[in-house]
mmCIF file of all heavy atoms in Angstrom:
data_model
loop_
_atom_site.group_PDB
_atom_site.id
_atom_site.type_symbol
_atom_site.label_atom_id
_atom_site.label_comp_id
_atom_site.label_asym_id
_atom_site.label_seq_id
_atom_site.Cartn_x
_atom_site.Cartn_y
_atom_site.Cartn_z
ATOM 1 N N GLU E 223 -4.945 7.244 -3.184
ATOM 2 C CA GLU E 223 -6.266 7.599 -3.041
ATOM 3 C C GLU E 223 -7.045 7.154 -4.171
ATOM 4 O O GLU E 223 -6.808 7.727 -5.354
ATOM 5 C CB GLU E 223 -6.444 9.121 -2.760
ATOM 6 C CG GLU E 223 -7.853 9.530 -2.506
ATOM 7 C CD GLU E 223 -8.087 11.046 -2.040
ATOM 8 O OE1 GLU E 223 -7.830 11.307 -0.912
ATOM 9 O OE2 GLU E 223 -8.521 11.838 -2.925
ATOM 10 N N SER E 224 -8.027 6.228 -4.005
ATOM 11 C CA SER E 224 -8.729 5.745 -5.194
ATOM 12 C C SER E 224 -9.975 4.950 -4.743
ATOM 13 O O SER E 224 -9.995 4.808 -3.493
ATOM 14 C CB SER E 224 -7.788 4.721 -6.074
ATOM 15 O OG SER E 224 -7.770 3.539 -5.201
ATOM 16 N N ILE E 225 -10.704 4.581 -5.638
ATOM 17 C CA ILE E 225 -11.904 3.766 -5.234
ATOM 18 C C ILE E 225 -11.450 2.544 -4.379
ATOM 19 O O ILE E 225 -12.241 2.082 -3.507
ATOM 20 C CB ILE E 225 -12.869 3.259 -6.330
ATOM 21 C CG1 ILE E 225 -12.002 2.521 -7.431
ATOM 22 C CG2 ILE E 225 -13.477 4.561 -7.026
ATOM 23 C CD1 ILE E 225 -12.942 1.886 -8.487
ATOM 24 N N PHE E 226 -10.352 2.012 -4.706
ATOM 25 C CA PHE E 226 -9.882 0.727 -4.039
ATOM 26 C C PHE E 226 -9.621 1.071 -2.496
ATOM 27 O O PHE E 226 -9.920 0.310 -1.561
ATOM 28 C CB PHE E 226 -8.703 0.150 -4.671
ATOM 29 C CG PHE E 226 -8.877 -0.283 -5.970
ATOM 30 C CD1 PHE E 226 -8.319 0.476 -7.027
ATOM 31 C CD2 PHE E 226 -9.814 -1.344 -6.356
ATOM 32 C CE1 PHE E 226 -8.515 0.134 -8.439
ATOM 33 C CE2 PHE E 226 -10.101 -1.603 -7.639
ATOM 34 C CZ PHE E 226 -9.331 -0.916 -8.649
ATOM 35 N N ALA E 227 -9.019 2.252 -2.212
ATOM 36 C CA ALA E 227 -8.802 2.714 -0.849
ATOM 37 C C ALA E 227 -10.170 2.838 -0.122
ATOM 38 O O ALA E 227 -10.275 2.513 1.033
ATOM 39 C CB ALA E 227 -8.046 4.094 -0.919
ATOM 40 N N THR E 228 -11.173 3.327 -0.926
ATOM 41 C CA THR E 228 -12.498 3.592 -0.269
ATOM 42 C C THR E 228 -13.054 2.122 0.171
ATOM 43 O O THR E 228 -13.505 1.888 1.281
ATOM 44 C CB THR E 228 -13.454 4.077 -1.212
ATOM 45 O OG1 THR E 228 -12.925 5.259 -1.788
ATOM 46 C CG2 THR E 228 -14.830 4.337 -0.646
ATOM 47 N N LYS E 229 -13.002 1.234 -0.790
ATOM 48 C CA LYS E 229 -13.470 -0.243 -0.546
ATOM 49 C C LYS E 229 -12.779 -0.749 0.760
ATOM 50 O O LYS E 229 -13.507 -1.369 1.555
ATOM 51 C CB LYS E 229 -13.301 -1.132 -1.741
ATOM 52 C CG LYS E 229 -13.378 -2.510 -1.523
ATOM 53 C CD LYS E 229 -14.843 -2.907 -1.457
ATOM 54 C CE LYS E 229 -14.868 -4.457 -1.417
ATOM 55 N NZ LYS E 229 -16.158 -4.929 -0.764
ATOM 56 N N LEU E 230 -11.510 -0.530 0.859
ATOM 57 C CA LEU E 230 -10.727 -1.168 1.982
ATOM 58 C C LEU E 230 -10.717 -0.376 3.223
ATOM 59 O O LEU E 230 -10.202 -0.796 4.220
ATOM 60 C CB LEU E 230 -9.281 -1.509 1.496
ATOM 61 C CG LEU E 230 -9.122 -2.376 0.334
ATOM 62 C CD1 LEU E 230 -7.696 -2.595 -0.093
ATOM 63 C CD2 LEU E 230 -9.769 -3.728 0.642
ATOM 64 N N GLY E 231 -11.301 0.887 3.168
ATOM 65 C CA GLY E 231 -11.277 1.673 4.418
ATOM 66 C C GLY E 231 -9.865 2.137 4.751
ATOM 67 O O GLY E 231 -9.533 2.170 6.065
ATOM 68 N N LEU E 232 -9.011 2.526 3.732
ATOM 69 C CA LEU E 232 -7.756 2.991 4.057
ATOM 70 C C LEU E 232 -7.492 4.423 3.612
ATOM 71 O O LEU E 232 -8.124 4.807 2.545
ATOM 72 C CB LEU E 232 -6.747 2.044 3.299
ATOM 73 C CG LEU E 232 -6.644 0.667 3.683
ATOM 74 C CD1 LEU E 232 -5.719 -0.094 2.702
ATOM 75 C CD2 LEU E 232 -6.097 0.505 5.081
ATOM 76 N N LYS E 233 -6.720 5.105 4.289
ATOM 77 C CA LYS E 233 -6.529 6.588 3.997
ATOM 78 C C LYS E 233 -5.590 6.658 2.745
ATOM 79 O O LYS E 233 -4.667 5.908 2.670
ATOM 80 C CB LYS E 233 -5.800 7.339 5.125
ATOM 81 C CG LYS E 233 -5.460 8.718 4.864
ATOM 82 C CD LYS E 233 -6.542 9.666 5.133
ATOM 83 C CE LYS E 233 -6.145 11.135 5.354
ATOM 84 N NZ LYS E 233 -5.240 11.698 4.448
ATOM 85 N N PRO E 236 -3.371 11.074 -2.335
ATOM 86 C CA PRO E 236 -3.727 11.583 -3.740
ATOM 87 C C PRO E 236 -2.600 11.946 -4.512
ATOM 88 O O PRO E 236 -1.585 12.344 -4.162
ATOM 89 C CB PRO E 236 -4.603 12.781 -3.390
ATOM 90 C CG PRO E 236 -4.169 13.332 -2.097
ATOM 91 C CD PRO E 236 -3.641 12.154 -1.347
ATOM 92 N N TYR E 302 -4.234 -6.549 1.218
ATOM 93 C CA TYR E 302 -3.790 -5.975 2.412
ATOM 94 C C TYR E 302 -2.210 -6.472 2.604
ATOM 95 O O TYR E 302 -1.775 -6.623 3.869
ATOM 96 C CB TYR E 302 -4.510 -6.228 3.708
ATOM 97 C CG TYR E 302 -5.839 -5.474 3.844
ATOM 98 C CD1 TYR E 302 -7.026 -6.083 3.595
ATOM 99 C CD2 TYR E 302 -5.864 -4.165 4.221
ATOM 100 C CE1 TYR E 302 -8.201 -5.364 3.857
ATOM 101 C CE2 TYR E 302 -7.061 -3.447 4.406
ATOM 102 C CZ TYR E 302 -8.246 -4.106 4.242
ATOM 103 O OH TYR E 302 -9.392 -3.387 4.376
ATOM 104 N N LYS E 345 7.231 -5.698 8.901
ATOM 105 C CA LYS E 345 6.217 -5.741 7.804
ATOM 106 C C LYS E 345 5.156 -6.681 8.264
ATOM 107 O O LYS E 345 3.990 -6.549 7.642
ATOM 108 C CB LYS E 345 6.869 -6.082 6.460
ATOM 109 C CG LYS E 345 7.539 -5.152 5.704
ATOM 110 C CD LYS E 345 6.614 -4.185 5.021
ATOM 111 C CE LYS E 345 7.269 -3.289 3.920
ATOM 112 N NZ LYS E 345 6.231 -2.331 3.345
ATOM 113 N N ASP E 346 5.393 -7.593 9.148
ATOM 114 C CA ASP E 346 4.403 -8.624 9.596
ATOM 115 C C ASP E 346 3.409 -8.025 10.649
ATOM 116 O O ASP E 346 3.269 -8.498 11.795
ATOM 117 C CB ASP E 346 4.952 -9.827 10.083
ATOM 118 C CG ASP E 346 4.129 -10.992 9.729
ATOM 119 O OD1 ASP E 346 3.186 -10.989 9.022
ATOM 120 O OD2 ASP E 346 4.557 -12.249 10.128
ATOM 121 N N VAL E 347 2.723 -6.927 10.284
ATOM 122 C CA VAL E 347 1.917 -6.193 11.262
ATOM 123 C C VAL E 347 0.683 -5.558 10.494
ATOM 124 O O VAL E 347 0.462 -5.863 9.334
ATOM 125 C CB VAL E 347 2.707 -4.929 11.860
ATOM 126 C CG1 VAL E 347 3.831 -5.369 12.692
ATOM 127 C CG2 VAL E 347 3.113 -3.909 10.737
ATOM 128 N N GLU E 348 -0.134 -4.898 11.293
ATOM 129 C CA GLU E 348 -1.377 -4.306 10.703
ATOM 130 C C GLU E 348 -0.940 -3.406 9.455
ATOM 131 O O GLU E 348 -0.011 -2.637 9.608
ATOM 132 C CB GLU E 348 -2.044 -3.417 11.752
ATOM 133 C CG GLU E 348 -2.439 -4.206 12.979
ATOM 134 C CD GLU E 348 -1.510 -4.262 14.084
ATOM 135 O OE1 GLU E 348 -0.318 -4.381 13.872
ATOM 136 O OE2 GLU E 348 -1.834 -4.084 15.275
ATOM 137 N N PHE E 349 -1.753 -3.551 8.523
ATOM 138 C CA PHE E 349 -1.367 -2.817 7.215
ATOM 139 C C PHE E 349 -1.100 -1.382 7.406
ATOM 140 O O PHE E 349 -0.119 -0.739 7.016
ATOM 141 C CB PHE E 349 -2.439 -2.985 6.214
ATOM 142 C CG PHE E 349 -2.042 -2.480 4.829
ATOM 143 C CD1 PHE E 349 -1.434 -3.407 3.887
ATOM 144 C CD2 PHE E 349 -2.403 -1.241 4.339
ATOM 145 C CE1 PHE E 349 -1.079 -2.959 2.667
ATOM 146 C CE2 PHE E 349 -1.986 -0.797 3.168
ATOM 147 C CZ PHE E 349 -1.317 -1.641 2.232
ATOM 148 N N GLU E 350 -1.983 -0.713 8.177
ATOM 149 C CA GLU E 350 -1.905 0.725 8.444
ATOM 150 C C GLU E 350 -0.680 1.052 9.267
ATOM 151 O O GLU E 350 -0.307 2.160 9.276
ATOM 152 C CB GLU E 350 -3.257 1.279 9.032
ATOM 153 C CG GLU E 350 -4.403 1.150 8.138
ATOM 154 C CD GLU E 350 -5.655 1.578 8.859
ATOM 155 O OE1 GLU E 350 -5.926 2.845 8.956
ATOM 156 O OE2 GLU E 350 -6.505 0.735 9.086
ATOM 157 N N LEU E 351 -0.151 0.118 9.974
ATOM 158 C CA LEU E 351 1.056 0.505 10.963
ATOM 159 C C LEU E 351 2.406 0.002 10.149
ATOM 160 O O LEU E 351 3.441 0.343 10.598
ATOM 161 C CB LEU E 351 0.921 -0.326 12.208
ATOM 162 C CG LEU E 351 -0.390 -0.016 12.930
ATOM 163 C CD1 LEU E 351 -0.298 -0.819 14.287
ATOM 164 C CD2 LEU E 351 -0.461 1.479 13.311
ATOM 165 N N ASP F 17 -18.327 -9.464 1.386
ATOM 166 C CA ASP F 17 -18.126 -10.135 0.152
ATOM 167 C C ASP F 17 -17.977 -11.677 0.326
ATOM 168 O O ASP F 17 -18.130 -12.517 -0.585
ATOM 169 C CB ASP F 17 -16.835 -9.705 -0.530
ATOM 170 C CG ASP F 17 -17.025 -8.261 -0.940
ATOM 171 O OD1 ASP F 17 -18.001 -7.938 -1.659
ATOM 172 O OD2 ASP F 17 -16.008 -7.545 -0.896
ATOM 173 N N GLN F 88 0.794 -2.916 20.012
ATOM 174 C CA GLN F 88 2.133 -2.508 19.673
ATOM 175 C C GLN F 88 2.738 -1.423 20.587
ATOM 176 O O GLN F 88 3.993 -1.393 20.701
ATOM 177 C CB GLN F 88 2.094 -1.851 18.143
ATOM 178 C CG GLN F 88 2.825 -2.782 17.185
ATOM 179 C CD GLN F 88 3.124 -2.172 15.912
ATOM 180 O OE1 GLN F 88 2.884 -0.943 15.662
ATOM 181 N NE2 GLN F 88 3.684 -2.901 15.072
ATOM 182 N N LEU F 94 0.894 -7.608 17.206
ATOM 183 C CA LEU F 94 -0.410 -8.152 17.047
ATOM 184 C C LEU F 94 -0.252 -9.660 16.779
ATOM 185 O O LEU F 94 -0.951 -10.543 17.353
ATOM 186 C CB LEU F 94 -1.276 -7.552 15.987
ATOM 187 C CG LEU F 94 -2.559 -8.136 15.598
ATOM 188 C CD1 LEU F 94 -3.425 -7.884 16.797
ATOM 189 C CD2 LEU F 94 -3.163 -7.387 14.442
ATOM 190 N N ILE F 95 0.662 -10.035 15.992
ATOM 191 C CA ILE F 95 0.849 -11.443 15.482
ATOM 192 C C ILE F 95 1.216 -12.271 16.701
ATOM 193 O O ILE F 95 0.791 -13.380 16.789
ATOM 194 C CB ILE F 95 1.786 -11.505 14.324
ATOM 195 C CG1 ILE F 95 1.725 -12.865 13.617
ATOM 196 C CG2 ILE F 95 3.236 -11.169 14.675
ATOM 197 C CD1 ILE F 95 0.880 -12.956 12.517
ATOM 198 N N HIS F 113 -10.721 -4.191 15.761
ATOM 199 C CA HIS F 113 -9.354 -3.515 15.767
ATOM 200 C C HIS F 113 -9.528 -2.176 15.066
ATOM 201 O O HIS F 113 -10.370 -2.030 14.130
ATOM 202 C CB HIS F 113 -8.378 -4.424 15.036
ATOM 203 C CG HIS F 113 -6.838 -4.071 15.257
ATOM 204 N ND1 HIS F 113 -6.434 -2.857 14.909
ATOM 205 C CD2 HIS F 113 -6.013 -4.760 15.991
ATOM 206 C CE1 HIS F 113 -5.049 -2.784 15.318
ATOM 207 N NE2 HIS F 113 -4.815 -3.907 15.978
ATOM 208 N N VAL F 114 -8.765 -1.294 15.424
ATOM 209 C CA VAL F 114 -8.889 0.083 14.882
ATOM 210 C C VAL F 114 -8.321 0.205 13.491
ATOM 211 O O VAL F 114 -8.583 1.029 12.634
ATOM 212 C CB VAL F 114 -8.077 1.181 15.714
ATOM 213 C CG1 VAL F 114 -8.796 1.573 16.954
ATOM 214 C CG2 VAL F 114 -6.647 0.624 16.060
ATOM 215 N N CYS F 115 -7.409 -0.987 13.040
ATOM 216 C CA CYS F 115 -6.811 -0.923 11.694
ATOM 217 C C CYS F 115 -7.652 -1.697 10.758
ATOM 218 O O CYS F 115 -8.090 -2.728 11.062
ATOM 219 C CB CYS F 115 -5.367 -1.387 11.797
ATOM 220 S SG CYS F 115 -4.343 -0.298 12.662
ATOM 221 N N SER F 116 -7.805 -1.091 9.517
ATOM 222 C CA SER F 116 -8.548 -1.940 8.495
ATOM 223 C C SER F 116 -7.728 -3.089 8.061
ATOM 224 O O SER F 116 -6.477 -2.986 8.012
ATOM 225 C CB SER F 116 -8.830 -1.108 7.233
ATOM 226 O OG SER F 116 -9.489 0.290 7.640
ATOM 227 N N GLY F 117 -8.420 -4.172 7.803
ATOM 228 C CA GLY F 117 -7.735 -5.407 7.193
ATOM 229 C C GLY F 117 -7.188 -6.295 8.254
ATOM 230 O O GLY F 117 -6.590 -7.381 7.931
ATOM 231 N N VAL F 118 -7.282 -6.127 9.592
ATOM 232 C CA VAL F 118 -6.686 -6.958 10.593
ATOM 233 C C VAL F 118 -7.394 -8.279 10.588
ATOM 234 O O VAL F 118 -6.590 -9.230 10.718
ATOM 235 C CB VAL F 118 -6.704 -6.260 12.009
ATOM 236 C CG1 VAL F 118 -6.629 -7.239 13.174
ATOM 237 C CG2 VAL F 118 -5.589 -5.196 12.068
ATOM 238 N N PHE F 121 -5.609 -10.443 8.109
ATOM 239 C CA PHE F 121 -4.249 -10.606 8.438
ATOM 240 C C PHE F 121 -4.217 -11.778 9.462
ATOM 241 O O PHE F 121 -3.275 -12.699 9.455
ATOM 242 C CB PHE F 121 -3.608 -9.320 9.011
ATOM 243 C CG PHE F 121 -2.288 -9.459 9.728
ATOM 244 C CD1 PHE F 121 -1.217 -9.792 8.968
ATOM 245 C CD2 PHE F 121 -2.108 -8.883 10.956
ATOM 246 C CE1 PHE F 121 0.072 -9.874 9.558
ATOM 247 C CE2 PHE F 121 -0.923 -8.942 11.556
ATOM 248 C CZ PHE F 121 0.260 -9.507 10.897
ATOM 249 N N LYS F 137 -11.837 1.376 9.289
ATOM 250 C CA LYS F 137 -12.848 1.908 8.437
ATOM 251 C C LYS F 137 -13.363 0.895 7.328
ATOM 252 O O LYS F 137 -13.919 1.255 6.449
ATOM 253 C CB LYS F 137 -12.414 3.280 7.745
ATOM 254 C CG LYS F 137 -11.900 4.275 8.859
ATOM 255 C CD LYS F 137 -11.554 5.485 8.207
ATOM 256 C CE LYS F 137 -10.293 5.550 7.310
ATOM 257 N NZ LYS F 137 -9.169 5.477 8.173
ATOM 258 N N HIS F 138 -13.029 -0.351 7.539
ATOM 259 C CA HIS F 138 -13.209 -1.305 6.625
ATOM 260 C C HIS F 138 -14.612 -1.927 6.601
ATOM 261 O O HIS F 138 -15.511 -1.584 5.873
ATOM 262 C CB HIS F 138 -12.128 -2.381 6.659
ATOM 263 C CG HIS F 138 -12.171 -3.502 5.599
ATOM 264 N ND1 HIS F 138 -11.961 -4.895 5.873
ATOM 265 C CD2 HIS F 138 -12.549 -3.435 4.281
ATOM 266 C CE1 HIS F 138 -12.249 -5.406 4.882
ATOM 267 N NE2 HIS F 138 -12.494 -4.774 3.810
ATOM 268 N N GLU F 139 -14.900 -2.924 7.468
ATOM 269 C CA GLU F 139 -16.183 -3.550 7.551
ATOM 270 C C GLU F 139 -16.539 -3.973 8.857
ATOM 271 O O GLU F 139 -15.844 -3.993 9.817
ATOM 272 C CB GLU F 139 -16.035 -4.813 6.677
ATOM 273 C CG GLU F 139 -15.778 -4.596 5.091
ATOM 274 C CD GLU F 139 -16.819 -5.408 4.266
ATOM 275 O OE1 GLU F 139 -17.955 -5.769 4.747
ATOM 276 O OE2 GLU F 139 -16.653 -5.396 3.097
ATOM 277 N N ARG F 176 -20.104 0.267 4.638
ATOM 278 C CA ARG F 176 -19.407 -0.571 3.631
ATOM 279 C C ARG F 176 -20.043 -2.014 3.665
ATOM 280 O O ARG F 176 -20.325 -2.598 2.617
ATOM 281 C CB ARG F 176 -17.907 -0.716 3.915
ATOM 282 C CG ARG F 176 -17.131 0.472 3.374
ATOM 283 C CD ARG F 176 -15.568 0.353 3.900
ATOM 284 N NE ARG F 176 -14.917 1.597 3.476
ATOM 285 C CZ ARG F 176 -15.091 2.796 3.872
ATOM 286 N NH1 ARG F 176 -15.993 3.149 4.679
ATOM 287 N NH2 ARG F 176 -14.392 3.767 3.290
ATOM 288 N N ARG F 201 -15.378 11.237 -6.276
ATOM 289 C CA ARG F 201 -14.444 10.548 -7.121
ATOM 290 C C ARG F 201 -14.042 9.136 -6.552
ATOM 291 O O ARG F 201 -13.453 8.301 -7.209
ATOM 292 C CB ARG F 201 -13.227 11.384 -7.367
ATOM 293 C CG ARG F 201 -12.396 11.565 -6.266
ATOM 294 C CD ARG F 201 -11.197 12.476 -6.345
ATOM 295 N NE ARG F 201 -10.478 12.562 -5.008
ATOM 296 C CZ ARG F 201 -10.994 13.154 -3.897
ATOM 297 N NH1 ARG F 201 -12.166 13.904 -4.073
ATOM 298 N NH2 ARG F 201 -10.259 13.154 -2.842
ATOM 299 N N LEU F 202 -14.397 8.913 -5.179
ATOM 300 C CA LEU F 202 -13.995 7.754 -4.594
ATOM 301 C C LEU F 202 -15.186 6.690 -4.370
ATOM 302 O O LEU F 202 -15.137 5.786 -3.650
ATOM 303 C CB LEU F 202 -13.367 8.041 -3.168
ATOM 304 C CG LEU F 202 -12.128 8.982 -3.254
ATOM 305 C CD1 LEU F 202 -11.709 9.146 -1.841
ATOM 306 C CD2 LEU F 202 -11.057 8.222 -4.060
ATOM 307 N N ASN F 203 -16.114 6.905 -5.307
ATOM 308 C CA ASN F 203 -17.314 6.012 -5.180
ATOM 309 C C ASN F 203 -17.194 4.637 -5.829
ATOM 310 O O ASN F 203 -17.512 4.447 -6.901
ATOM 311 C CB ASN F 203 -18.510 6.757 -5.940
ATOM 312 C CG ASN F 203 -19.838 6.136 -5.763
ATOM 313 O OD1 ASN F 203 -20.002 4.992 -5.263
ATOM 314 N ND2 ASN F 203 -20.905 6.861 -6.175
ATOM 315 N N TYR F 204 -16.468 3.807 -5.059
ATOM 316 C CA TYR F 204 -16.236 2.432 -5.517
ATOM 317 C C TYR F 204 -17.424 1.711 -5.900
ATOM 318 O O TYR F 204 -17.309 0.972 -6.923
ATOM 319 C CB TYR F 204 -15.603 1.657 -4.283
ATOM 320 C CG TYR F 204 -15.252 0.164 -4.473
ATOM 321 C CD1 TYR F 204 -14.231 -0.224 -5.201
ATOM 322 C CD2 TYR F 204 -16.244 -0.664 -4.050
ATOM 323 C CE1 TYR F 204 -14.003 -1.518 -5.407
ATOM 324 C CE2 TYR F 204 -16.041 -2.055 -4.423
ATOM 325 C CZ TYR F 204 -14.851 -2.494 -5.008
ATOM 326 O OH TYR F 204 -14.650 -3.839 -5.214
ATOM 327 N N TRP F 205 -18.507 1.901 -5.173
ATOM 328 C CA TRP F 205 -19.753 1.030 -5.498
ATOM 329 C C TRP F 205 -20.563 1.524 -6.598
ATOM 330 O O TRP F 205 -21.595 0.971 -6.931
ATOM 331 C CB TRP F 205 -20.663 0.908 -4.259
ATOM 332 C CG TRP F 205 -19.799 0.433 -3.065
ATOM 333 C CD1 TRP F 205 -19.603 -0.919 -2.689
ATOM 334 C CD2 TRP F 205 -19.038 1.230 -2.062
ATOM 335 N NE1 TRP F 205 -18.897 -1.009 -1.610
ATOM 336 C CE2 TRP F 205 -18.507 0.238 -1.243
ATOM 337 C CE3 TRP F 205 -18.876 2.570 -1.891
ATOM 338 C CZ2 TRP F 205 -17.829 0.564 -0.103
ATOM 339 C CZ3 TRP F 205 -18.191 2.867 -0.829
ATOM 340 C CH2 TRP F 205 -17.556 1.954 0.066
#
Side-chain angles (χ1 to χ4, degrees):
Chain E
E223 182 173 282
S224 73
I225 56 168
F226 303 110
T228 310
K229 165 76 171 156
L230 298 179
L232 296 171
K233 175 82 158 54
Y302 287 107
K345 279 283 197 182
D346 211 6
V347 297
E348 298 90 322
F349 190 86
E350 291 174 76
L351 303 180
Chain F
D17 294 314
Q88 245 197 4
L94 178 63
I95 194 95
H113 200 287
V114 286
C115 291
S116 303
V118 161
F121 173 56
K137 303 188 289 287
H138 179 221
E139 291 231 18
R176 281 171 179 72
R201 70 190 176 282
L202 299 179
N203 186 347
Y204 172 84
W205 304 273

